[in-house]
Amino acid sequence: MTARPWHGGELRWNAETEDWTVLAPSRGSRPHSAAGAACPFCPGPAEDTPPETWRLPGGDVGWRVRAVPNRYALSDRHEIVIESPRHDWDLATGTDGEVADVLGAWQHRHRALRPATAQVVVFRNHGLAAGISLAHPHSQIAGLPVLSAETRRELETARVHHRDRGRLLAGEQLEAALSDGKRIVFADDHVVAYTPFAPIAAYEVRILPHRAGPDFAAAGAEEIRATARCLRTILAALRAELGDPAYNVVVRTAPTGYETAPFLAWSLQLVPRLETPAGLELATGVPVTTVSPEHAAARLRTLVGMADVG
Ligand SMILES: [Zn+2]
């Protein structure tokens, strides 16, 4: 039985899955926003956050995006990115520039939290089914002291693929989507968004630059602007198609120490939470989805105004 104390909780090793479980009792006490309750992230007298670690200055209240330590942290490196002073702001309805500012904050805090971690994860939860606890638009960045089983497996798969075939696995996936055409959601000179051939959920979308490097935090401003525009466009299309569904966005990027690995490429993974995993998923780990990626892409492509294919 392997366990290690960690930030007021514990990391326990699951010998069957060869993966860690995080025991984080303090997160059970985090607040859930109630209608009419004062919002701790809104500027004003009710604002209540730990001292900020970073801000993008500007706007009416002196900041446009800010980062603060997460009071109900999973680790000693766990921050909240407050994406806007406006409580009713959203990635799907903001401007391209505002969304790019949020992605820029993710990059900045990713770099800042990286020392003494095994991996830094960036994620955004939207809606109750995706695990949201406070309604004010925010995302989270957490440094972990271990690599998850999924991260270890993906690293090894990408490394072996690159060694044996001399090509990036992520690049081949992107090329397959481009040559097939039926799974492309959005494409311009800088970025491509597509639904994976074998998605883990209905309407899952991957967004990545044509030539993504291994490290999201090192991506250039032009790539980030294009990625932001693409993400906002697709979230708006998802709203139009499904009516503001719950979703998670995560940044898939190199773990600490792999920032220049030639076999990796970063991407954004957007996973709507429309279906509840049940017994088959639990028994096998195999996702079941009722919507084909070709159908999902065709619907979203129409909504983002891309020409249809096939
Ligand atoms: Zn608020």
Side-chain angles (χ1 to χ4, degrees):
M1 300 288 167
T2 301
R4 51 195 266 195
W6 185 46
H7 198 68
E10 213 177 316
L11 281 171
R12 290 195 182 174
W13 179 250
N14 181 328
E16 290 183 332
T17 61
E18 297 191 304
D19 208 355
W20 296 95
T21 288
V22 178
L23 303 191
S26 73
R27 279 182 69 77
S29 60
R30 66 192 194 278
H32 291 254
S33 52
C39 172
F41 294 168
C42 273
E47 185 174 58
D48 181 21
T49 67
E52 76 183 25
T53 51
W54 179 84
R55 71 163 52 185
L56 180 64
D60 300 337
V61 296
W63 59 271
R64 289 185 284 160
V65 182
R66 64 195 288 254
V68 300
N70 190 323
R71 190 165 270 160
Y72 305 91
L74 280 166
S75 78
D76 59 348
R77 292 170 183 276
H78 186 175
E79 292 187 356
I80 301 272
V81 170
I82 303 173
E83 297 169 345
S84 169
R86 283 175 44 203
H87 193 83
D88 61 350
W89 188 85
D90 189 69
L91 283 182
T93 53
T95 66
D96 290 342
E98 288 169 340
V99 176
D101 287 344
V102 171
L103 267 56
W106 292 356
Q107 288 187 294
H108 189 279
R109 299 321 296 159
H110 196 287
R111 284 191 298 270
L113 295 177
R114 192 180 279 166
T117 65
Q119 63 183 131
V120 176
V121 293
V122 179
F123 55 99
R124 184 181 206 266
N125 306 330
H126 178 85
L128 284 175
I132 198 74
S133 53
L134 273 172
H136 196 110
H138 69 279
S139 34
Q140 304 186 50
I141 307 189
L144 303 179
V146 293
L147 288 182
S148 72
E150 181 167 319
T151 303
R152 291 196 308 273
R153 189 171 57 242
E154 286 184 357
L155 267 180
E156 183 61 7
T157 304
R159 188 187 66 77
V160 168
H161 187 95
H162 187 261
R163 182 196 66 197
D164 292 350
R165 304 184 58 160
R167 309 190 57 216
L168 266 176
L169 178 56
E172 282 192 16
Q173 301 272 318
L174 180 56
E175 269 176 39
L178 283 168
S179 68
D180 170 11
K182 291 187 169 59
R183 291 184 287 109
I184 298 295
V185 175
F186 179 94
D188 64 16
D189 290 345
H190 304 286
V191 295
V192 181
Y194 68 92
T195 56
F197 181 68
I200 63 163
Y203 288 87
E204 179 189 358
V205 176
R206 285 286 182 129
I207 302 172
L208 71 165
H210 287 279
R211 290 188 217 300
D215 182 15
F216 166 76
E222 194 169 22
E223 278 188 348
I224 290 297
R225 272 197 301 276
T227 303
R229 185 170 61 244
C230 182
L231 175 63
R232 186 199 56 71
T233 303
I234 289 169
L235 287 173
L238 264 186
R239 272 195 171 204
E241 171 75 354
L242 302 166
D244 199 19
Y247 66 79
N248 302 106
V249 172
V250 300
V251 178
R252 296 274 176 177
T253 186
T256 308
Y258 292 86
E259 292 87 351
T260 58
F263 51 86
L264 297 177
W266 70 266
S267 65
L268 299 188
Q269 181 182 23
L270 166 61
V271 180
R273 296 297 179 187
L274 307 170
E275 302 153 320
T276 305
L280 184 75
E281 288 89 333
L282 185 63
T284 62
V286 173
V288 179
T289 177
T290 54
V291 181
S292 78
E294 292 80 11
H295 174 78
R299 295 289 309 163
L300 294 176
R301 202 161 52 234
T302 306
L303 289 162
V304 304
M306 284 271 298
D308 223 334
V309 287

